[in-house]
Amino acid sequence: MAFGAEELRVLRRALALALHPSPASAEDVQDCLRLAESLDEAMREGARLRAFLVADLARYRAALPGTAAGYLTLLEEALGAAYRPNPDDLAALRALRGNPVAAALLDRCQILAEQDVRARLARGTARQASTVVPASRTRLTALPGGLSGPVAGDADQDPAKKPERRPAEKPAAPKPAPAPPAPKPGRPIPTPGEVFPRRKPAPPPAPNPPQELAAG
């Protein structure tokens, strides 16, 4: 991206205002806005150009080795447009290393690939370091209504502060079922004599005493 003389003047004025704040004229503000719009348009155009180059590069790479000359030219142009080579590009260049242009591009692409790997590893290490919990942590008190006490995990780090483990309680044996109550003695079964009592025979009537014949 190249700046013209007028654009460099506006850029220098914008940098001066940023370093030494002072009231800016309306003309300066308009010039800065036009420069920002031009930069945005140039970035969009660069992204479109890079997308076209990458698409053409993929087509030429798929048609190798017959398109070696066009592929190497497109790859060099794409690298100048901030393209980062992928594993397919490295494999294609290794197959064409007999070509001096391909050998030079292979060295260049390997350096870029190694830089990308180091950058990814650095980002991963920084991300892991930001998530590591420090060994000495400040004890936090619980919010109102919650449980207070040491932070979970401190007892595991300090054996002296581990709570004593209570032996597991054996389950209580089931209580025997209560014996059924003894049946109360019921009424004795009546005998046939009680059910059908025998009537005692009535005593025979006493004989009438003989009447004395009246003396006649």
Side-chain angles (χ1 to χ4, degrees):
M1 184 181 296
F3 291 99
E6 184 64 22
E7 293 171 340
L8 287 176
R9 182 191 67 80
V10 176
L11 182 60
R12 188 182 298 110
R13 178 60 179 159
L15 291 175
L17 291 173
L19 294 175
H20 305 285
S22 60
S25 61
E27 182 181 0
D28 289 338
V29 173
Q30 293 299 324
D31 290 342
C32 290
L33 290 176
R34 281 194 294 268
L35 179 60
E37 292 175 357
S38 299
L39 288 175
D40 291 341
E41 181 60 28
M43 292 179 65
R44 287 191 293 268
E45 185 63 27
R48 286 193 292 268
L49 175 62
R50 187 163 53 252
F52 283 122
L53 283 174
V54 172
D56 288 342
L57 189 64
R59 286 192 291 269
Y60 275 77
R61 185 175 59 238
L64 287 174
T67 56
Y71 170 72
L72 296 176
T73 301
L74 282 174
L75 179 58
E76 190 170 6
E77 185 177 356
L79 292 176
Y83 171 73
R84 311 302 284 186
N86 56 31
D88 292 336
D89 294 317
L90 296 177
L93 291 174
R94 290 190 185 99
L96 300 172
R97 70 175 61 187
N99 187 318
V101 179
L105 284 175
L106 178 60
D107 294 338
R108 181 180 175 186
C109 290
Q110 285 178 339
I111 294 174
L112 293 175
E114 291 175 0
Q115 291 176 354
D116 290 343
V117 171
R118 292 195 189 98
R120 285 195 297 269
L121 291 176
R123 287 194 297 268
T125 303
R127 191 180 298 110
Q128 291 178 359
S130 62
T131 57
V132 170
V133 179
S136 58
R137 293 179 296 177
T138 305
R139 295 177 180 273
L140 303 176
T141 56
L143 296 174
L147 297 176
S148 60
V151 178
D154 288 347
D156 295 339
Q157 295 177 1
D158 192 353
K161 297 181 180 180
K162 288 185 177 180
E164 296 181 0
R165 294 186 178 179
R166 304 173 67 179
E169 297 181 359
K170 296 182 179 180
K175 295 182 180 180
K184 296 181 179 180
R187 185 176 181 182
I189 300 175
T191 62
E194 293 177 348
V195 177
F196 305 102
R198 291 181 179 181
R199 295 181 179 181
K200 295 181 179 182
N208 295 325
Q211 297 179 1
E212 295 181 357
L213 294 178

